[in-house]
Amino acid sequence: LRTPPQGVPRLHDCRLLFLPSFRRSLSTSPSKCGLFGKSSGGQEPQTLDDVVSLLKHGDCKRVIVMAGAGISTPSGIPDFRSPGSGLYDNLQQYDIPYPEAIFDIHYFHQNPRPFFTLAKELYPGNYLPNSAHYFVRLLHMKGLLQRMYTQNIDGLERLAGVPPDKLVEAHGTFASATCTTCRKSYAGEDLKADIFADHVPKCATCRGVIKPDIVFFGEELPQRFLLFLTDFPLADLLIIMGTSLEVEPFASLAGSVRSSVTRVLINRDAVGPFASPSRRFNDVLELGDVIGGVEKCVYKLGWKAELDELMAAEMKKVH
Ligand code: OAD
Ligand code: ZN
């Protein structure tokens, strides 16, 4: 996990990620989706209405969703980089040398306390999913979801009922944990009491520090992330929500769908390739609040009643 150095073009990174064989096979199977599949054949910019019509008419059946902290801010969890409200602007009390140190594996080995103090605050169970999470569940229920790739560690996708096999938790999860010394595995639940009592959890076998299986800067992503190698060439629509696309290798996934595939960004601001010259003619930007963007989409799809019903039923289960 790393933040790309300023000025390094992300598309270049993405090319490095891709195997030549995948790139070749892509060009042999043109997508039905996106502008190349439109009867006009023209290269006019696409809009949310075009995306809605692709979904409604069954032209897109392998939707990939990429998400970040911005989908959970409406649930009350701060994101990382929003000026003022983001976590990295609010870590003064942790006494760490630089904000990202809280998720840096080398720093953690020296001093795990700041991370565990934060973990207590972010611990799953304190927050509820919102319509952005349930929108993804609805895509799944309609048989349209190829996979959701999330950077979030709040567990709200699982809580909203996105099935584990449809989910890639690219930056890990609190659901499991590993001893940093002997690599013994633990259930996330085993650490909860210690975290809430402000104790650093220690391994029953070797007394090493147990770390939740969250991917820190300097660590490898979970094996499951490699599913992108087969998922992205198959995708026929990419929806990106609530992420700054600042962290690699996740950010480069956005460049890994075929060039004919429509990419929709639902976010407060234009980010990654959507804010650069590598922006594609068939990219769709829905700028503003993520809930507003999702609800607009859901309304245009005619799924509003269904989403409301699903959320009401799920809320009943929680309360
Ligand atoms: P960031 O905080 O970097 O970006 C969040 C994005 O969502 C920004 O572009 C915000 O403008 C946008 N946003 C926030 N709230 C929104 C709202 N209500 N409506 C619309 N847009 C909104 O978060 P990530 O991209 O997820 O790593 O950060 C990536 C990784 O960096 C995280 O996974 C984390 C961090 O270091 C780990 O924890 C390992
Ligand atoms: Zn151990």
Side-chain angles (χ1 to χ4, degrees), residues 167-186:
L167 202 54
V168 172
E169 292 168 316
H171 293 174
T173 170
F174 274 102
S176 57
T178 307
C179 169
T180 52
T181 306
C182 74
R183 310 306 299 166
K184 183 176 173 182
S185 296
Y186 288 86

Side-chain angles (χ1 to χ4, degrees), residues 1 3 67-74 78-83 86-88 100 103 151-153 171 214-217 241-247 266-269 271 288-291:
L1 189 71
T3 307
I71 69 164
S72 294
T73 56
D79 67 6
F80 295 90
R81 295 179 180 79
S82 283
L87 193 68
Y88 291 152
E100 285 88 349
F103 291 117
Q151 297 166 97
N152 296 347
I153 52 174
H171 293 174
I214 287 162
V215 182
F216 278 35
F217 289 105
M241 305 192 286
T243 174
S244 61
L245 293 179
E246 285 285 333
V247 174
I266 306 177
N267 205 49
R268 197 166 279 150
D269 29 45
V271 293
D289 183 63
V290 70
I291 300 298

Side-chain angles (χ1 to χ4, degrees), residues 32 51 63 83 103 146 157 165-166 182 224 262 282 291 295 302:
K32 271 182 73 188
V51 175
V63 181
F103 291 117
Q146 173 76 16
E157 302 86 1
D165 67 310
K166 289 282 166 181
C182 74
R224 218 175 137 65
T262 303
N282 51 350
I291 300 298
E295 284 179 354

